[in-house]
Amino acid sequence: MAFFDHPDFDGHEQVVLGHDRASGLRAIIAIHDTRRGPALGGCRTFAYADDTAALRDVLRLSRSMTYKAAMAEVPYGGGKAVIIADPRRDKHAGLFRALGRMIDGLGGRYITAEDAGTTVDDLQDVARETPCVVGVRRRPDIDGNMGTGDPSPATAYGVLIGIRAAVAHHLGADTLTGLRVAVQGLGNVGWKLAARLHAAGAQLWVADTDGERAREAERAFGATAVAPDRIVDVAADVFAPCALGSVIDDVTVDRLKAAVVAGSANNQLDRPEHAEQLRQVGIAYAPDYVINAGGLIDVSYERDALDDPQRVRTHIERIGPTLTQIFRQADREGVPTDRVAARMAEERLEQRPSRVA
Ligand code: NAD
C-alpha cells in the first residue's frame, strides 16, 4: 500500500498506525495540518473492508477537517482517527482506553471527538487516558438545554442554517415552509435536522438503512419513508445527505433530481469531478466541510471552556453568509462551489487564526 504517493496523502504532517494486543485495537490517526492549531477531528469506528479503505477514509476525513476549521474560523488544525471495528459488535471500553493512550502519546497534536460509530460513552473511556478529547463534558447545548457534550445538535443547526442560505440563493426562497427536503440517514444529525425542518414547515422524505428509524420519522414528522437506495431519486428541492460519504458518485450524480445538495455527511463527493458535474446540471452544492461545521464550532468552545450557547449559535450562524459568498463567487466565475471553498480555506490557512464570534 502506498503512503507518501497515496492519492489522498495531500501533504499530511503525520499518520500513525496503532495496535494494542490486549484490547485488539487497530486504529489510524491522521494529522493533516496544524498551522492554525492542534489537529481536531472525530474518531470513526467502522467495519472497513480492509486497511486500504480505512487509510483512504482517514486521509480524506482529516484533510476535510483542516478546511472545515479554517472556514469555520476556529483556532484548530485538521486530523481524524479511525478504529477498524464493527461498532455494533466489537466495541468495548478497553478499545477506547487503548485509543486514548495512543492519542496521549501524540503530546497534544491531535484532539479527538465523536464521529459515526463512536458515542459520548466511548469517548468517556478515551478521556480516562488523555485530556485530548472533546464532546464529553455535560454542558448547555445550543438550545440552552443541558446536553451530554454530543455536538450533533450544533451540527444539525448549522446544516439548517446552510439549507436556508442555499435555497435563498438558488431558489429565491425566503422560507422553509413547504420546502421539499429528502434526508438520507436519520442518525444523530439527520434526525435532529429532520426535526428542525419539520418545525420550520418543510415537507420531508426520509431514508435510513434502519427501517424502523424511517417509520418513526413518518410518525414524528409526517415524513414519507423511502427505500435507502431510492432517496437520491426523490424530486425534492433539497437532498440532504446525513449518512456516510461518497454518496454523490458516477451513478447517483445522474440520478439526482433535487435542486440543492446540502447535508451533514463528510466527503459527500466520491471524486472532486462530481462537483463540476453538479454545477453543469444546475444543482447547487453546499461544500460539506462548510455546512457541517456546527459540531466543530461547538466542541471548540468546549475545549476553550467557553460555555455560552448564544455565542456558539452566533458563530454557527456565520455558516449562512459564508455559503452565500461561496455560491455567489462560484456563479461569477463559473466554477464549482467546492473549488471556491477550497481556495478560501487555503487563503485562511496562511493567516493567523483568531476567534471571531
Ligand atoms: P450516525 O451514525 O448517528 O447516523 C448515520 C445514520 O445513517 C444511521 O442512522 C444509519 O443507519 C444511516 N445510514 C447509513 N447508511 C445509510 C444509507 N446508505 N442510507 C440511508 N441511511 C443510512 O452519524 P451522525 O453523527 O448522524 O453523522 C452523519 C454524517 O454526518 C456522517 O457522515 C458524519 O461524519 C457527518 N458529521 C457528523 C457530525 C456530528 O456532529 N455528529 C458533524 C459533522 C459531520
Side-chain angles (χ1 to χ4, degrees):
M1 190 187 337
F3 281 93
F4 296 110
D5 293 331
H6 192 287
D8 297 304
F9 186 70
D10 194 55
H12 267 75
E13 291 179 12
Q14 193 174 6
V15 180
V16 185
L17 304 182
H19 174 243
D20 178 65
R21 198 183 298 271
S23 64
L25 175 75
R26 286 188 303 146
I28 311 176
I29 297 176
I31 297 176
H32 179 246
D33 192 308
T34 58
R35 276 177 289 173
R36 289 175 57 90
L40 175 53
C43 171
R44 177 167 293 184
T45 306
F46 191 74
Y48 291 100
D50 52 34
D51 301 350
T52 309
L55 181 66
R56 177 176 193 251
D57 208 27
V58 78
L59 292 176
R60 278 164 51 95
L61 289 165
S62 75
R63 176 177 183 269
S64 281
M65 290 309 297
T66 300
Y67 283 37
K68 191 184 304 194
M71 291 304 288
E73 298 183 276
V74 295
Y76 290 94
K80 204 84 182 183
V82 295
I83 295 180
I84 303 167
D86 186 333
R88 287 163 305 185
R89 283 197 339 243
D90 304 335
K91 291 203 303 188
H92 57 94
L95 204 62
F96 289 94
R97 291 193 67 161
L99 180 78
R101 291 191 293 277
M102 182 180 168
I103 292 169
D104 209 53
L106 294 171
R109 282 174 53 74
Y110 169 66
I111 300 161
T112 200
E114 287 86 353
D115 195 77
T118 307
T119 64
V120 176
D121 284 349
D122 300 329
L123 291 182
Q124 298 290 2
D125 291 318
V126 174
R128 293 171 72 181
E129 303 288 349
T130 180
C132 297
V133 52
V134 288
V136 284
R137 194 159 55 75
R138 284 180 59 75
R139 65 203 161 91
D141 68 16
I142 51 154
D143 296 312
N145 304 316
M146 186 47 74
T148 58
D150 171 14
S152 62
T155 305
Y157 182 58
V159 174
L160 183 88
I161 296 289
I163 288 175
R164 279 192 195 280
V167 299
H169 173 82
H170 199 61
L171 304 175
D174 59 2
T175 174
L176 300 183
T177 305
L179 193 78
R180 298 163 301 163
V181 186
V183 181
Q184 179 188 46
L186 293 164
N188 284 319
V189 181
W191 182 271
K192 294 174 186 103
L193 174 66
R196 286 190 184 272
L197 286 165
H198 173 62
Q203 193 184 349
L204 299 176
W205 283 259
V206 294
D208 197 293
T209 39
D210 175 353
E212 183 47 37
R213 207 68 183 146
R215 284 188 290 279
E216 266 179 61
E218 286 192 308
R219 293 190 288 273
F221 313 130
T224 304
V226 180
D229 61 347
R230 304 306 299 177
I231 190 80
V232 294
D233 302 315
V234 173
D237 299 306
V238 178
F239 173 57
C242 298
L244 292 180
S246 293
V247 63
I248 312 288
D249 60 18
D250 290 341
V251 175
T252 56
V253 76
D254 293 327
R255 281 171 45 192
L256 269 175
K257 296 192 182 56
V260 168
V261 175
S264 76
N266 284 307
N267 296 334
Q268 292 170 26
L269 307 177
D270 191 46
R271 293 197 316 278
E273 303 86 275
H274 295 126
E276 173 59 13
Q277 283 176 264
L278 291 177
R279 190 190 73 80
Q280 282 176 6
V281 292
I283 296 176
Y285 167 62
D288 44 20
Y289 56 80
V290 179
I291 192 169
N292 72 11
L296 171 66
I297 293 167
D298 185 43
V299 295
S300 80
Y301 279 79
E302 174 191 335
R303 183 76 189 164
D304 297 345
L306 299 167
D307 282 342
D308 181 348
Q310 188 48 50
R311 203 168 157 196
V312 177
R313 276 179 90 92
T314 304
H315 195 149
I316 292 172
E317 284 162 9
R318 292 174 56 85
I319 289 173
T322 301
L323 277 174
T324 303
Q325 191 186 349
I326 292 167
F327 287 130
R328 286 187 183 152
Q329 188 75 22
D331 285 354
R332 265 197 302 274
E333 295 180 21
V335 298
T337 49
D338 80 325
R339 194 181 306 168
V340 172
R343 194 173 60 214
M344 285 170 70
E346 276 154 19
E347 283 165 9
R348 290 175 186 195
L349 282 167
E350 299 296 331
Q351 298 160 5
R352 281 177 67 81
S354 60
R355 198 172 276 295
V356 290

